[in-house]
Amino acid sequence: LSIGGAETSKIFRKITKNSNSIQSFVDSIIVLMLRYGFDGVDIDWEYPETESDSKGFTKLIKYLRSQLDCVEEFLLNSQNLHQKFLLTTALPASKYYLKNYKINEVINSLSFINLMGYDFRGPWSKKAGFHSNLFNPNLKYGWKPSSKNEESISVSEAVDYIIDKKRIDSQKIILGMPLYGREFKIKSHLIQYNENGSPFFDISKLYTGDGLQFSKIENNNDADIILYKDLPMNNSLEIHDTNLSASMCYNNETGSFVTYDTVDSVIEKSNYIISKNLGGGMWWDASGDPFLSNPSRSLPINFFNYVNEGIGAMNEADKNIEADRMTLKYSYCSELTNFEDTSKIIQDYKNKVQQYNELTNQNVESLISQYKDSTCSNSAGFKNSGISRMLTPSHSLLKYLILWFLCT
């Protein structure tokens, strides 16, 4: 159950303004989880901006983890329904925003981190550019941002910052990748032709000189977003930049420049994930992937296959370690290697969900009632329990991946 999203800072600020509001919010989450059978909670606060926000984020995560642990211990185990609830958070790739998250203080409460490796550029930017590039254009093309608003963001810089500066275990990082593109209307014609008459696009133009100016796409806030399954656009040239591990398509006549991930991007990011010993990958969002209509172009399916091949190439000792670590997250992925079986796997998963629901639905209202009456719940006088001290000023959320993907 993911809560939050773009521009939710003011909402979370209200939720975390005091202990009572945090308790009420968490109580409602627990009830929703029990009633609808969610296996965890994801907090997507975009973004903490002040020191007070940072403290509120920390309190919320720690308290929510304590409540999930309490429900596991006192309710589900007593019903012989053994469940370890996930608690994750979505983090931006920009160091400008990352600094406002006290990651070190909450990492032990989190199952893993979903690092949002996308939306680096968009209609808010001054110049066009890639929105999900793996590497830094500063290093590859010598590009210098004109202001902090044009900060050069890359996946690799964010990962290094979290691992090296924040000292976070790499296996706790799940790399987020987009299943959509962002369109810019470029004001100049950029495709040229070589001596053989083949078209080419000099990608370095994005990051040299003054960069590429673009016209705003009007109508609505999401007008620049195009689903991956609808790309590349008609009459456009699809290009992949191996220097940045980023892809695009461009129409010289209309000036339409769309930045997005392709199979090439995902393969290079798969290599990166394995080399950095990250925990896995995730996508926003499943509606953009052609995994039923054109599975050979599906980004998650190609990712699963390539990661499995990468593990297979390791020596036996490393392979055993890696296989143990990835079994939980990738147990469904290995079944998706045969594209023709995709629909069958989805139906099998739905059947398993139905079986779980039949087991738990008969007890769910009873569980909710027990929760409200238990020492876990605020309504049962939780303020007097030992865990409530976490809210005082003196004390400071590929199986999951594929379940999320298929459910969505």
Side-chain angles (χ1 to χ4, degrees):
L1 173 62
S2 188
I3 300 172
E7 300 179 358
T8 52
S9 186
K10 291 182 180 179
I11 297 173
F12 279 108
R13 191 172 294 142
K14 290 180 180 179
I15 290 170
T16 58
K17 66 182 179 180
N18 57 55
S19 298
N20 288 335
S21 58
I22 292 178
Q23 289 173 342
S24 297
F25 178 63
V26 171
D27 266 0
S28 66
I29 290 176
I30 299 296
V31 170
L32 280 173
M33 284 184 55
L34 292 175
R35 178 164 286 139
Y36 297 109
F38 289 104
D39 62 353
V41 182
D42 175 76
I43 297 296
D44 185 7
W45 183 336
E46 300 183 24
Y47 307 101
E49 299 170 353
T50 65
E51 180 63 20
S52 178
D53 288 349
S54 299
K55 292 179 179 178
F57 173 78
T58 301
K59 288 180 180 179
L60 174 59
I61 293 296
K62 286 189 173 184
Y63 183 65
L64 185 48
R65 178 73 268 171
S66 72
Q67 289 296 84
L68 293 174
D69 291 344
C70 190
V71 172
E72 292 166 9
E73 180 178 355
F74 292 106
L75 295 182
L76 295 185
N77 288 343
S78 67
Q79 297 288 323
N80 199 30
L81 296 172
H82 300 289
Q83 172 79 29
K84 182 65 178 177
F85 289 118
L86 296 168
L87 177 57
T88 69
T89 190
L91 294 183
S94 167
K95 290 186 287 185
Y96 178 80
Y97 291 110
L98 273 174
K99 70 178 186 295
N100 294 325
Y101 293 84
K102 298 183 183 296
I103 307 173
N104 309 73
E105 296 183 20
V106 299
I107 193 61
N108 290 334
S109 299
L110 294 168
S111 306
F112 50 83
I113 293 166
N114 292 311
L115 181 64
M116 297 182 285
Y118 37 80
D119 291 345
F120 302 165
R121 292 294 185 93
W124 58 86
S125 303
K126 292 184 178 179
K127 308 288 174 60
F130 293 112
H131 90 102
S132 57
N133 46 290
L134 179 55
F135 297 112
N136 188 340
N138 287 15
L139 303 176
K140 301 295 183 178
Y141 296 118
W143 179 76
K144 301 296 181 184
S146 57
S147 70
K148 73 176 183 179
N149 293 328
E150 287 296 295
E151 175 192 7
S152 177
I153 307 173
S154 68
V155 166
S156 60
E157 280 197 319
V159 169
D160 289 343
Y161 177 82
I162 295 173
I163 294 174
D164 299 335
K165 299 295 184 182
K166 296 295 185 179
R167 313 302 297 177
I168 301 302
D169 182 356
S170 63
Q171 294 181 17
K172 285 251 184 173
I173 301 173
I174 307 298
L175 177 56
M177 293 165 274
L179 283 168
Y180 62 94
R182 286 194 174 274
E183 182 182 14
F184 299 90
K185 291 293 186 180
I186 304 300
K187 297 181 179 179
S188 55
H189 298 289
L190 297 171
I191 289 183
Q192 302 176 29
Y193 295 86
N194 60 26
E195 58 186 16
N196 298 322
S198 300
F200 71 93
F201 177 86
D202 186 359
I203 294 177
S204 65
K205 290 182 180 295
L206 288 171
Y207 300 108
T208 56
D210 294 329
L212 295 181
Q213 301 284 345
F214 67 96
S215 302
K216 299 292 184 183
I217 299 174
E218 305 297 337
N219 298 328
N220 62 66
N221 292 334
D222 293 328
D224 68 307
I225 291 179
I226 302 175
L227 296 181
Y228 167 69
K229 64 186 179 183
D230 297 325
L231 294 168
M233 299 180 75
N234 291 334
N235 302 315
S236 64
L237 178 66
E238 186 170 78
I239 305 162
H240 179 70
D241 181 3
T242 56
N243 287 319
L244 302 183
S245 293
S247 299
M248 56 166 282
C249 66
Y250 179 72
N251 185 312
N252 211 37
E253 298 301 318
T254 64
S256 175
F257 166 89
V258 186
T259 162
Y260 56 103
D261 274 8
T262 59
V263 172
D264 287 334
S265 308
V266 163
I267 288 175
E268 290 172 2
K269 289 179 179 180
S270 300
N271 276 326
Y272 177 81
I273 287 170
I274 293 173
S275 68
K276 298 293 287 188
N277 198 30
L278 304 187
M282 71 91 175
W283 284 265
W284 180 264
D285 65 68
S287 63
D289 194 66
F291 72 104
L292 289 180
S293 61
N294 188 9
S296 64
R297 191 171 162 83
S298 165
L299 299 188
I301 290 177
N302 277 282
F303 173 83
F304 303 150
N305 293 342
Y306 196 83
V307 167
N308 284 335
E309 290 175 5
I311 294 174
M314 296 178 177
N315 64 53
E316 287 303 316
D318 289 341
K319 187 189 301 184
N320 290 337
I321 294 173
E322 196 75 0
D324 287 344
R325 178 171 71 82
M326 294 189 173
T327 294
L328 181 63
K329 292 172 186 165
Y330 298 159
S331 60
Y332 278 82
C333 310
S334 61
E335 299 180 74
L336 287 171
T337 55
N338 185 339
F339 296 145
E340 296 178 359
D341 289 342
T342 304
S343 297
K344 178 179 181 299
I345 297 302
I346 294 174
Q347 187 57 51
D348 288 347
Y349 170 69
K350 289 180 178 179
N351 292 339
K352 292 176 182 178
V353 171
Q354 183 177 353
Q355 291 172 7
Y356 176 80
N357 288 341
E358 290 174 354
L359 174 65
T360 58
N361 281 350
Q362 58 185 336
N363 298 320
V364 68
E365 294 304 324
S366 174
L367 287 175
I368 292 172
S369 178
Q370 289 180 54
Y371 169 72
K372 290 180 177 179
D373 294 336
S374 72
T375 56
C376 296
S377 174
N378 181 36
S379 60
F382 189 78
K383 293 179 182 179
N384 296 323
S385 73
I387 302 176
S388 67
R389 289 196 299 272
M390 297 186 67
L391 290 172
T392 64
S394 61
H395 289 73
S396 311
L397 221 222
L398 205 292
K399 180 179 178 182
Y400 171 73
L401 165 71
I402 191 62
L403 296 193
W404 185 7
F405 178 78
L406 292 180
C407 281
T408 307

